[in-house]
Amino acid sequence: AADASVSLTLPSESPIGLRQVAAAVAGQPTNDFTVIASTVPQAIEAAGDNNTIAAAPQAVALPAAINGRIESAADIDVFSFEAAAGDKWSFEVFARRAGSELDPVVRLLNDKGAVLIENDDARWGRLTHADSWIENWAAPAAGKYFLEIRDLHLRGGPGFTYLIQATKAQPYFELEVDTDKTQLAPGVNSPVYVRVVRKNGFTGEVTLGVEGLPPGVTATTGRILESGQDGVVILQAAANAPAGVATIRFTGSATLPQPDGSALSLT
């Protein structure tokens, strides 16, 4: 119902990210819907005019997970934030992935209203998605900046919800595998090629691994050198390996030195 209010509490051990849940409204269960669990402090879009930087839009302190809605056609939501010179931030929109009708476009503007960077569709590895993502943006100077979100086609309504997760940009990497299946006969080897995509200034070496191998199958894993982007994992089936099938996971690990002399482990 339009006037119904739902309060939902997730268990403290809930995994971070998107998940399907159900709630009860007036004692009746709902269909499953998507929520996003996050460790980032939450900010809720305030009532009032926040369509332009001249309207003194809502200020948020970063990092933040900004929850809002494009409420009507041609609605634009603008938020202000402070950044120091050289601060690096990433702004990731969760909309379509969470079942929203919104096809988001996000922009960052300076205090004069000039557009510094804009993103419509984001790219994760080899996949392009309707949700937007500004990654590893560096503030050119200390001061106030503005984050703007709207629908690509200037639509709006109750179903046009969003969450913008604004976090410090940290070096990391992604892995791509050249195949989605590998067939092995008893006593036979098969190579699987793995490529690293380095992000946000990460330049290090990556040690490869594999998890979930079925009985009778072993793996020889290698490294992706700092000077390269490709590595290989050799899968081998024993001569007496039984017939079977398994979903396996390829992993990469790296150690990133920190300014204070400690090390950050990336996986």
Side-chain angles (χ1 to χ4, degrees), residues 24 26 42 59 68 70 86 88 100 103-104 131 135 178 201 206 213 233:
Q42 301 292 300
I70 302 300
K88 292 184 177 181
S100 173
D103 186 354
D131 283 349
E135 189 175 18
D178 72 332
V206 176
L213 293 173
V233 174

Side-chain angles (χ1 to χ4, degrees), residues 68-217:
R69 184 193 316 270
I70 302 300
E71 297 171 337
S72 59
D75 183 28
I76 299 173
D77 289 350
V78 183
F79 303 90
S80 68
F81 65 93
E82 299 282 342
D87 274 358
K88 292 184 177 181
W89 295 96
S90 292
F91 302 85
E92 182 177 3
V93 179
F94 293 84
R96 286 292 179 89
R97 288 173 289 171
S100 173
E101 297 178 53
L102 180 66
D103 186 354
V105 175
V106 289
R107 304 196 303 177
L108 293 178
L109 302 87
N110 65 16
D111 58 355
K112 303 296 192 298
V115 177
L116 303 176
I117 190 171
E118 177 177 341
N119 180 258
D120 175 9
D121 295 336
R123 188 171 182 85
W124 282 270
R126 301 176 184 178
L127 302 177
T128 300
H129 197 282
D131 283 349
S132 305
W133 190 12
I134 293 175
E135 189 175 18
N136 201 33
W137 171 78
K144 180 180 288 188
Y145 295 90
F146 297 90
L147 171 64
E148 176 191 283
I149 183 169
R150 62 175 174 84
D151 182 71
L152 176 64
H153 305 290
L154 293 179
R155 303 167 302 161
F160 288 74
T161 54
Y162 61 82
L163 181 143
I164 308 172
Q165 188 156 267
T167 55
K168 277 279 191 181
Q170 298 286 349
Y172 73 102
F173 62 89
E174 297 174 342
L175 296 181
E176 297 179 353
V177 182
D178 72 332
T179 180
D180 63 351
K181 60 183 179 297
T182 297
Q183 295 179 333
L184 288 172
V188 171
N189 296 348
S190 180
V192 178
Y193 296 95
V194 182
R195 171 165 291 184
V196 65
V197 180
R198 295 179 172 87
K199 295 294 191 77
N200 296 358
F202 173 73
T203 59
E205 179 179 284
V206 176
T207 301
L208 298 175
V210 61
E211 301 172 350
L213 293 173
V217 177

Side-chain angles (χ1 to χ4, degrees), residues 8 18 64 82 90 212 250:
L8 180 68
L18 295 161
E82 299 282 342
S90 292
F250 293 93

